[in-house]
Amino acid sequence: MQIPEHWAAWLPSWLAWLDTLAWPWMLAALPLPVLMHWWPQRGATAAALRVPYAAAQLQALGVAAGGRSLGLGRLVLWLAWACLCVAAARPQQLGEAVTPPQQGRQMMLAVDVSGSMSEADMLLGHQVVDRLTAAKAVLADFLDRRAGDRVGLLIFGERAYTLTPLTGDLASVRLQLGDSVVGLAGRETAIGDAIALAVKRLREQPQGQRVLILLTDGVSNAGVLEPLRAAELAKAEGVRVYTVAFGGDGGFSLFGVQIAPGEDPVDEATLQKIATLTGGRAFRARNTDELAGIYAELQRLEPVASAGPAVRPRIERYAWPLALSLLLAGLAWLLPRRWA
């Protein structure tokens, strides 16, 4: 229990330890043995209060306090009773300052795993890799920076599936992302269904924190819901959608080298409309470096909330006076009667 400052100012310094007690009023039980001794003396000769043997020991303390000499046995019992009262008052100690994590964004990651994501036109560490492998590497780094957020993962192709619900366990999200493979949800692309599924997962979360990051390398050609209709649902539910169009400029490649650029296969116009309608932004990445830069920009646009105020937990220390009380009580029971 925290003693008010205007009271603490009047307390002597040697009473400052009272501030460490959770229930300091339990100390009012200290004179109980004296009260138990004097209570039966009022009125008739018959005992007004009958107590078992264990409580009778308290009466013995009261007798000592009532005028008889205080022998070693009774002194030990008094100390045991005092320790028991202190234990009941729950002494506590302030622990080291702890900074609790503050909940940040509620974020869903939607990753395209359609057949086109197997196109090997990306460089990752001087090695040619497919688009999904490159996206996994960048997303894993992005997740490492989202401590404090709750992140969910869904994949989509011809259908959309949730792999990980919203969770603060980002290691599990990275693990599920690493296990995703091209074609797991079909070979085609259902962007509208992916947005609708993400909105369903986010709609119960706090307003202003609902974020969807959608990565795709193609045009929506499957699914039940049109992408723009899904974007209207996202807007109605307060979900900001950031779209990332990922992939090369079409054509074909030889040993990872683009030979004949063709028409850009990504529907950037639709992705731009989705982002604008929901209050997000649209990005275009043609290589791994650009994709990493985009996720760095998303880190700035949707920052992780700063840590909450530091607190000092209270550690219970009643076990020490309780143990001492039991030890002293046992010692008093072992002492010879003549020392009572």
Side-chain angles (χ1 to χ4, degrees):
M1 185 182 81
Q2 190 71 24
I3 297 178
E5 293 184 2
H6 61 282
W7 291 5
W10 293 92
L11 289 176
S13 58
W14 58 274
L15 286 180
W17 64 274
L18 287 174
D19 195 29
T20 66
L21 303 179
W23 300 337
W25 56 85
M26 293 298 295
L27 297 181
L30 279 172
L32 184 60
V34 177
L35 295 176
M36 292 183 67
H37 169 67
W38 287 107
W39 183 269
Q41 304 303 319
R42 300 177 58 187
T45 57
L49 181 65
R50 295 183 180 275
V51 293
Y53 174 77
Q57 300 300 316
L58 298 180
Q59 286 184 321
L61 296 181
V63 171
R68 290 174 52 182
S69 61
L70 189 62
L72 179 60
R74 291 189 177 87
L75 176 61
V76 172
L77 282 175
W78 263 114
L79 292 175
W81 175 249
C83 290
L84 185 62
C85 292
V86 171
R90 288 181 56 199
Q92 299 173 332
Q93 178 184 3
L94 288 177
E96 295 294 329
V98 177
T99 303
Q102 188 171 11
Q103 182 171 298
R105 302 292 187 269
Q106 316 296 311
M107 182 177 294
M108 290 296 298
L109 301 179
V111 181
D112 188 348
V113 293
S114 61
S116 56
M117 288 293 285
S118 63
E119 182 71 24
D121 58 355
M122 294 291 150
L123 281 176
L124 184 63
H126 305 292
Q127 182 180 359
V128 178
V129 297
D130 60 74
R131 295 173 181 176
L132 183 57
T133 299
K136 287 180 181 180
V138 175
L139 280 169
D141 180 70
F142 177 72
L143 288 171
D144 288 339
R145 304 172 188 272
R146 301 308 301 185
D149 284 354
R150 296 177 68 233
V151 180
L153 174 67
L154 67 88
I155 59 171
F156 66 97
E158 189 175 343
R159 295 167 296 276
Y161 299 102
T162 301
L163 292 186
T164 307
L166 287 167
T167 176
D169 184 5
L170 301 189
S172 294
V173 180
R174 284 192 295 271
L175 182 62
Q176 292 291 341
L177 176 65
D179 290 340
S180 303
V181 295
V182 171
L184 184 61
R187 308 293 295 184
E188 297 181 337
T189 307
I191 294 176
D193 289 3
I195 295 174
L197 180 57
V199 171
K200 180 179 179 181
R201 294 294 183 181
L202 289 166
R203 71 193 331 161
E204 301 299 329
Q205 304 307 316
Q207 284 280 358
Q209 298 181 12
R210 307 169 187 173
V211 178
L212 167 62
I213 299 177
L214 183 141
L215 182 145
T216 182
D217 71 337
V219 180
S220 185
N221 54 11
V224 177
L225 204 60
E226 291 293 325
L228 292 181
R229 174 57 182 156
E232 292 174 358
L233 293 176
K235 178 183 178 181
E237 295 293 341
V239 178
R240 291 189 300 280
V241 182
Y242 294 91
T243 60
V244 180
F246 184 47
D249 292 322
F252 64 94
S253 60
L254 179 64
F255 302 112
V257 179
Q258 199 73 18
I259 301 299
E263 184 181 354
D264 192 344
V266 185
D267 187 1
E268 290 189 60
T270 299
L271 296 178
Q272 178 67 59
K273 290 178 183 178
I274 292 171
T276 302
L277 185 62
T278 60
R281 281 184 58 180
F283 301 92
R284 178 69 170 99
R286 291 175 173 82
N287 54 57
T288 307
D289 290 338
E290 289 182 0
L291 184 61
I294 288 171
Y295 280 97
E297 179 68 8
L298 290 171
Q299 179 77 9
R300 184 187 67 82
L301 293 172
E302 298 290 346
V304 177
S306 59
V311 295
R312 297 186 67 183
R314 288 183 174 267
I315 304 171
E316 297 286 348
R317 297 300 188 195
Y318 67 87
W320 295 101
L322 180 59
L324 182 58
S325 175
L326 295 175
L327 181 64
L328 290 172
L331 179 61
W333 184 74
L334 293 175
L335 287 175
R337 291 288 182 181
R338 65 178 182 275
W339 289 5

